[in-house]
DNA sequence: CTTTTGACGCGTA
DNA sequence: CTACGCGCCAAAA
């Protein structure tokens, strides 16, 4: 039995749901914690996320601490607004210091 | 069926 | 710092 084809996505969403307010995690970090996905999959899973979900998708950024640019749509603009609403402001280079604001967890191997 | 495309990351040059 | 290639894998074309 293969259960749900989106089990991996559910796992990804579950992990992201645990990112505390005011903290950010990277795509690669989420992938490593899940142990069954890659950074690109995490981005793809978030892209498939419906609007108005409870998943704090805006707390996921790339390894440079930057908000990943979208090909289409302006979702990254909203992401910046949501992060600033939590007190996270990118520096003049558009980066958030992961050393300070990064989500720390012991689950990464 | 095959090819392209991406909210990524890492190694090289 | 920039530029490029490649592995990754699901979804769309």
């Amino acid at each position: 039995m293969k259960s749900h084809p989106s089990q991996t996505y559910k796992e990804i969403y579950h992990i992201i749901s645990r990112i505390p307010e005011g903290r950010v995690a990277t795509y690669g970090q989420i992938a490593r914690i899940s142990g069954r996905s890659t950074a690109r999959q995490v981005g793809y899973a978030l892209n498939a996320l419906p609007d108005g979900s409870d998943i704090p998708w805006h707390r996921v950024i790339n390894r440079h601490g930057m908000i990943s640019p979208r090909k289409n749509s302006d979702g990254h603009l909203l992401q910046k607004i949501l992060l600033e609403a939590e007190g996270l402001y990118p520096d003049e280079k558009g980066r958030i210091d992961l050393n300070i604001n990064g989500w720390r967890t012991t689950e990464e191997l």
Side-chain angles (χ1 to χ4, degrees), chain A residues 13-109:
Chain A
Y13 297 149
H14 179 69
I15 295 171
I16 295 175
S17 296
R18 309 208 326 268
I19 304 175
E21 183 176 329
R23 291 292 184 88
V24 288
T26 68
Y27 297 92
Q29 184 179 6
I30 301 299
R32 265 174 293 140
I33 294 173
S34 79
R36 61 162 74 175
S37 60
T38 64
R40 194 178 277 288
Q41 276 181 273
V42 173
Y44 210 94
L46 287 179
N47 186 48
L49 208 56
D51 289 350
S53 78
D54 298 327
I55 309 299
W57 56 270
H58 57 283
R59 296 181 189 142
V60 183
I61 58 182
N62 64 30
R63 75 173 169 121
H64 301 297
M66 303 173 70
I67 296 173
S68 289
R70 272 59 164 179
K71 285 289 185 176
N72 294 324
S73 92
D74 52 352
H76 61 112
L77 298 177
L78 173 60
Q79 185 170 11
K80 181 170 181 289
I81 293 173
L82 292 174
L83 287 176
E84 290 182 344
E86 297 187 357
L88 295 178
Y89 296 89
D91 62 19
E92 63 275 359
K93 295 170 191 170
R95 295 190 301 206
I96 292 174
D97 193 331
L98 291 172
N99 245 333
I100 299 175
N101 303 293
W103 181 37
R104 301 305 182 78
T105 172
T106 57
E107 299 171 44
E108 297 177 72
L109 301 183

